[in-house]
């Protein structure tokens, strides 16, 4: 479970790290007309694929967590009442709810990445979803 979650998180952060590096490159060379290095150009062109792979690993993590998370697996998330873990602690509830909300945002991001759905949005809507909601999803993950 943990491997798929960390892989998804690292791929998603890899997607959103390309923009600041490209911006720094433009600031250092004081122009937007100079070509990016080959590795950065490849990285910028393939962010969509990295994001979709991140969604696949995030979906795998979500479905595995639904089946495997129980009081014996994560003892710190549950209160023990007379030796039996029954209720989630506040920490456990926050983790589960942020995971659910992050997966919902992640699903919206993945759907907007599909070309037929992206064509139905104007640029400001698409940009808001891909930047603001994407960074919120990264923060929640």
């Amino acid at each position: 479970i943990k491997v798929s979650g960390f892989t998804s998180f690292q791929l998603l952060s890899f997607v959103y790290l390309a923009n600041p590096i490209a911006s720094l490159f433009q600031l250092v060379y004081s122009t937007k007309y100079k070509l990016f290095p080959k590795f950065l150009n490849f990285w910028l062109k393939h962010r969509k694929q990295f994001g979709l792979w991140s969604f696949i690993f995030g979906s795998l993590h979500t479905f595995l967590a639904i089946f495997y998370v129980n009081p014996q697996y994560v003892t710190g998330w549950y209160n023990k009442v007379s030796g039996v873990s029954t209720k989630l602690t506040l920490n456990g509830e926050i983790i589960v709810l942020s995971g659910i909300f992050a997966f919902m945002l992640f699903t919206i991001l993945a759907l907007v990445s599909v070309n037929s759905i992206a064509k139905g949005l104007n640029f400001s809507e698409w940009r808001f979803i891909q930047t603001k909601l994407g960074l919120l999803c990264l923060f929640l993950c």
Side-chain angles (χ1 to χ4, degrees), residues 36-50:
F36 290 123
K38 287 183 181 181
F39 80 94
L40 188 56
N41 194 25
F42 177 83
W43 188 2
L44 289 168
K45 287 181 180 178
H46 291 85
R47 286 180 297 169
K48 181 177 181 179
Q49 287 83 3
F50 291 133

Side-chain angles (χ1 to χ4, degrees), residues 3 8 10 18 29 35 55 57 65 72 74 78 81 93 95 113 123 130:
V3 172
S8 175
Q10 288 173 351
Y29 290 103
L35 295 176
F55 177 69
F57 281 109
Q72 288 79 29
V74 280
Y78 292 90
V81 179
E93 287 183 12
I95 290 171
S113 296
F123 181 72
Q130 290 296 331

Side-chain angles (χ1 to χ4, degrees), residues 19-37 40 44:
N19 281 342
I21 291 175
S23 299
L24 285 173
F25 182 83
Q26 288 179 338
L27 285 173
V28 167
Y29 290 103
S30 302
T31 181
K32 65 179 183 177
Y33 300 108
K34 185 173 175 157
L35 295 176
F36 290 123
L40 188 56
L44 289 168

Side-chain angles (χ1 to χ4, degrees), residues 10 30 39 64 77 87 94 96 100 117 119 123 139:
Q10 288 173 351
S30 302
F39 80 94
L64 287 175
W77 291 6
K87 287 188 173 183
I94 290 172
V96 170
I100 291 169
I117 295 175
K119 288 179 183 177
F123 181 72
F139 174 74

Side-chain angles (χ1 to χ4, degrees), residues 92-120:
E93 287 183 12
I94 290 172
I95 290 171
V96 170
L97 286 176
S98 65
I100 291 169
F101 191 59
F103 185 68
M104 289 171 38
L105 288 176
F106 216 171
T107 304
I108 292 170
L109 284 172
L111 287 174
V112 170
S113 296
V114 176
N115 289 336
S116 60
I117 295 175
K119 288 179 183 177

